[in-house]
Amino acid sequence: MAIAPIQDRLRQLGLTAMAAEWTSQQTPPDVTALPFEERFGLLVEAEWAARDRRGIQRRLHAAHLRVTATPEDLDGQTPRGLPRPTVQQLWRRQGVADHQTVLVTGPTGVGKTSWLCAWGHAACRRRYHVTDLRVPRLLGEAAVAQTTGQ
């Protein structure tokens, strides 16, 4: 079977990353010499990685995080007054996995928003859905939910 019809079928199936990987596999001799299973594994891995990236982007967009911060961006040297065991427990997902609500308070400028947005970014990477709410909106939504019985 020719290359172009395979690419067209992959795109019609919604496997665009796999189609792009198929195209890139056609020229390098080191890839064309690989056994079928390895080449097919590369195709599947490319599609999985693309879908994972799109899922993370979709969850980040839906979260409406106010700051574009990632865990790698945080400066661990700045004293924030957060107990290290608590921070480590939250980063290890226990807070999310145990369905705990996280409420961070403190004076202006200590990095609460950056820290929480970085934590939300990490949770989106781990396939959790995140919502970034300030207290006034949270209280408003809670009041509406209470009056509607939700």
Side-chain angles (χ1 to χ4, degrees):
M1 190 172 207
I3 295 169
I6 293 173
Q7 287 176 312
D8 292 340
R9 289 288 186 221
L10 288 171
R11 285 192 178 97
Q12 288 170 357
L13 290 169
L15 303 171
T16 55
M18 196 177 276
E21 179 67 19
W22 171 256
T23 304
S24 70
Q25 283 187 7
Q26 300 311 309
T27 51
D30 57 332
V31 176
T32 55
L34 291 174
F36 171 77
E37 292 83 10
E38 289 185 37
R39 287 186 69 187
F40 186 69
L42 291 172
L43 293 171
V44 171
E45 184 63 31
E47 186 65 34
W48 183 86
R51 288 179 183 222
D52 191 45
R53 279 191 306 274
R54 284 193 307 265
I56 291 170
Q57 290 304 318
R58 194 171 39 254
R59 286 186 295 277
L60 286 171
H61 180 71
H64 299 290
L65 299 175
R66 285 171 272 146
V67 177
T68 307
T70 63
E72 297 80 24
D73 295 337
L74 294 180
D75 177 19
Q77 304 302 322
T78 306
R80 301 198 189 281
L82 297 169
R84 186 170 282 298
T86 304
V87 172
Q88 289 174 343
Q89 179 184 14
L90 290 172
W91 282 116
R92 284 195 315 263
R93 292 189 334 185
Q94 286 183 331
V96 176
D98 295 341
H99 303 285
Q100 295 176 349
T101 301
V102 177
L103 181 67
V104 177
T105 62
T108 303
V110 296
K112 299 179 299 291
T113 301
S114 295
W115 187 85
L116 287 172
C117 287
W119 190 57
H121 193 280
C124 286
R125 286 184 197 167
R126 293 179 178 140
R127 296 178 183 84
Y128 287 102
H129 294 272
V130 175
T131 302
D132 182 5
L133 297 174
R134 288 183 169 248
V135 172
R137 183 171 170 202
L138 175 66
L139 295 176
E141 288 186 13
V144 170
Q146 185 177 16
T147 57
T148 60
Q150 295 179 348

